[in-house]
Amino acid sequence: MKKYLLSIESTCDETAAAVIDEENRILSSIVSSQVDLHEKYGGVVPEIAARAHLERILPVIDEAMTQAGVSLQDLCAIAVATQPGLVGSLLVGVTAAKTLAMLLEIPLISIDHIAAHIYACRLHAGEDIFPAVGLVVSGGHTNLYDCQSALELELLGSTIDDAAGEAFDKVAQILGLSYPGGPAIQQAAEQGDAHRFAFPRSFMKEDRLAFSFSGLKTAVLYQVQGQPGANKQPPELTPTRLADIAASFQQAVVDVLVVKCKQAIEKTGRKTLCIGGGVAANALFRSELEAMCQEEKIRLIIAPMKYCTDNAAMGAIAWEKFKAKNFAPLDLDPTPGLIRA
Ligand code: KG4
Ligand code: ZN
């Protein structure tokens, strides 16, 4: 008999469910985005996110089952992202998953959302890609890992303040652009001069595998609104100036991300680099990564666009745990914080 797994994702502001067969084929992948609800706040509001998950989780699961043409009785396990994330959001997915596992009397599998983002690259490759260096770069995370296997991740370094995607979102807000900021900045930057403003690139010249984007965000703020206490006001934010700031900011983030990936490869000696998370959708980042990896003779795997941002298909990683009979107890609790390896 064929085996199917239902994967549930509700770590942040996307309610998602997917049905995946044992050959890692994605039979359905439903994502209900809450972008419209959080747009006017310029970022995710945890209470609004939790409430929206509650309203959407059952219809999203229903739709995933219907599209896959699979009935609940055909499922062999329920997988759910349990960490890291917003606690109110996580609780909705975890409670739904526990209830289904209990009613259907099938195993419950706990998914690490970060490992799942990297696994999106494994899905894309269609074959084993580990060991590899993995970078998860999203609105909530900027983490570099040495991945021995899909499930064995050693944290090499992360951001000491804002995540890269968060910096995109905050800078977009400063520039009066729409939310989420990444696509809006990418678009504005197309007309801009990336060398006009020399914005800071933290830790760029150090071999320390850490990131910091809050100084960069402040530098953009001062360019737009002026420095506190300074007599001189900044020039008017014309479309050209806005485009140049967006392009210079984007270049600064991409430079840092690419250099840190290169350093992680040198440090670990790995020959494969995997990139996941929403910022991996950035076109400049993709092309500069390709250039670097070609030069270094590294295999580069970037998660496909639809699996860069949050989704439940990347929960296919749960098959690795299923095969190892690594199941979670029914009194499983979500873990909001990042587990440091
Ligand atoms: O992975 P994701 O959907 O959610 C989190 O887990 O955070 O990533 C969302 C983040 C947002 O901060 C968004 O601005 C950023 O990914 N993003 C981009 C682009 N598309 C989305 N950043 C830069 N360039 C893009 N094209
Ligand atoms: Zn994510």
Side-chain angles (χ1 to χ4, degrees), residues 9 11-12 113-114 117 136 138-141 277-278 308-310 314:
E9 153 68 44
T11 57
C12 187
H113 177 74
I114 302 289
H117 265 304
V136 178
S138 69
H141 314 283
C308 275
T309 46
D310 288 349
M314 62 192 189

Side-chain angles (χ1 to χ4, degrees), residues 127-161:
E127 59 180 24
D128 193 17
I129 56 169
F130 301 104
V133 164
L135 173 72
V136 178
V137 63
S138 69
H141 314 283
T142 310
N143 298 346
L144 257 173
Y145 293 92
D146 184 20
C147 315
Q148 182 62 41
S149 69
L151 298 173
E152 295 165 285
L153 273 51
E154 186 197 338
L155 186 68
L156 296 170
S158 61
T159 178
I160 60 165
D161 42 54

Side-chain angles (χ1 to χ4, degrees), residues 9 11-14 44 84 113-114 117 136-141 163-170 172 178-187 249-250 253-254 276-286 305 307-311 314:
E9 153 68 44
T11 57
C12 187
D13 64 336
E14 262 99 24
V44 177
H113 177 74
I114 302 289
H117 265 304
V136 178
V137 63
S138 69
H141 314 283
E166 192 181 354
F168 270 96
D169 295 336
K170 288 179 176 169
S178 59
Y179 174 82
I185 288 191
Q186 178 174 319
Q187 201 188 0
F249 161 78
Q250 178 178 253
V253 176
V254 168
V279 180
N282 186 272
L284 179 73
F285 183 37
R286 285 176 170 252
M305 291 291 196
Y307 300 148
C308 275
T309 46
D310 288 349
N311 66 88
M314 62 192 189

Side-chain angles (χ1 to χ4, degrees), residues 36-100:
D36 50 338
L37 299 182
H38 303 287
E39 196 173 4
K40 67 172 173 232
Y41 305 101
V44 177
V45 183
E47 290 76 10
I48 295 176
R51 186 173 292 265
H53 281 305
L54 206 53
E55 287 164 0
R56 296 172 187 204
I57 191 93
L58 293 180
V60 164
I61 291 174
D62 253 349
E63 174 115 18
M65 298 301 294
T66 308
Q67 257 194 33
V70 168
S71 74
L72 287 174
Q73 281 65 37
D74 294 332
L75 296 174
C76 66
I78 309 286
V80 61
T82 55
Q83 68 189 50
L86 302 169
V87 68
S89 293
L90 285 165
L91 267 171
V92 177
V94 170
T95 306
K98 286 203 279 196
T99 309
L100 279 170

